[in-house]
Amino acid sequence: MDSGGKRMLNFVDLPGFGYAKLSRTTKSAIEQSATSYLSTSQSLSLCVLLHDLRRLTTPEDRATIAGLYDMGLPICVVATKADKVKPAELGAAVEGVREGLGLPEGQPLVCSSVTG
């Protein structure tokens, strides 16, 4: 809540760096900062992890999910860019993300910038 007693919704965008060209030192510093924030934030209500449906899941993706679960944080995975996947391949792509990340039934949520 803000100082006036109103409920607030804040978003914190932590960098997705799976495909970014970063030095090991920079990547490590980002990971440490993100872990520190996630493990100490007392007002964090939900972690939303965005995953591009066109990409295979990586060991880093699985480690991120495992770390969030280990911290006891609530997680929602959103599979993005559904409009970029052929309709005949969409189901398999979504299932690949679900299995690749070890998600429960009902996840990931699927999102398209074209259709929502």
Side-chain angles (χ1 to χ4, degrees):
M1 290 198 191
D2 69 5
S3 60
K6 296 178 184 176
R7 289 189 177 266
M8 294 181 60
L9 176 63
N10 297 310
F11 292 94
V12 176
D13 183 9
L14 300 177
F17 48 85
Y19 293 94
K21 295 182 189 303
L22 301 174
S23 71
R24 286 185 188 176
T25 303
T26 300
K27 189 172 180 177
S28 178
I30 291 170
E31 288 174 356
Q32 288 176 348
S33 294
T35 299
S36 175
Y37 171 76
L38 292 168
S39 63
T40 60
S41 176
Q42 296 184 6
S43 61
L44 189 60
S45 300
L46 178 66
C47 294
V48 179
L49 180 71
L50 304 178
H51 185 85
D52 185 335
L53 271 172
R54 302 171 300 169
R55 308 282 182 229
L56 296 174
T57 56
T58 65
E60 289 84 6
D61 296 327
R62 289 186 284 281
T64 298
I65 288 283
L68 293 171
Y69 278 129
D70 288 348
M71 287 184 231
L73 297 171
I75 305 164
C76 176
V77 176
V78 177
T80 63
K81 301 189 181 176
D83 53 288
K84 304 289 185 184
V85 178
K86 293 178 183 176
E89 299 171 358
L90 183 59
V94 172
E95 186 63 16
V97 171
R98 191 182 73 72
E99 287 181 0
L101 295 178
L103 300 174
E105 290 296 325
Q107 284 199 49
L109 302 179
V110 180
C111 181
S112 161
S113 64
V114 174
T115 62

